[in-house]
């Protein structure tokens, strides 16, 4: 049962939860902000659209292709 932070807020999720699912469980579901300032969210769920890019422990990752781990820090805002 991983404990992580999402934009600085503590979040507890079930084992096997993807970061994309955690975005929906612990926030508004959005993953990033586009260059025009619009919030974006996971779309395809299978690693194709790239809309789910987030920063995890300082590295850009696809939320739909990453499982939550204990101690992970997920950021959706610059
Ligand atoms: S939701 Fe499309 S790449 Fe992750």
């Amino acid at each position: 049962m991983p404990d992580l932070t999402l934009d600085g807020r503590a979040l507890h999720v079930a084992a096997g939860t993807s970061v994309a699912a955690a975005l929906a469980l612990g926030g508004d579901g959005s993953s990033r902000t586009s260059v025009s300032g619009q919030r974006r969210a996971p779309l395809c769920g299978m690693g194709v659209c790239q809309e789910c890019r987030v920063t995890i422990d300082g590295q850009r990752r696809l939320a739909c292709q990453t499982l939550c781990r204990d101690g992970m820090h997920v950021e959706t805002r610059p």
Side-chain angles (χ1 to χ4, degrees):
M1 301 282 272
D3 287 310
L4 56 142
T5 63
L6 174 58
D7 292 328
R9 298 184 315 274
L11 181 62
H12 183 74
V13 297
T17 300
S18 70
V19 174
L23 296 175
L25 290 168
D28 63 0
S30 62
S31 52
R32 64 187 183 91
T33 303
S34 72
V35 292
S36 60
Q38 296 175 315
R39 293 294 287 163
R40 308 297 293 185
L43 180 63
C44 73
M46 58 185 188
V48 175
C49 74
Q50 311 285 304
E51 292 288 3
C52 66
R53 294 189 305 269
V54 293
T55 302
I56 299 174
D57 297 332
Q59 307 247 328
R60 297 296 278 170
R61 299 278 185 230
L62 295 179
C64 72
Q65 300 297 300
T66 307
L67 294 180
C68 293
R69 305 182 259 98
D70 217 22
M72 178 182 267
H73 299 283
V74 180
E75 296 164 30
T76 70
R77 300 185 185 270

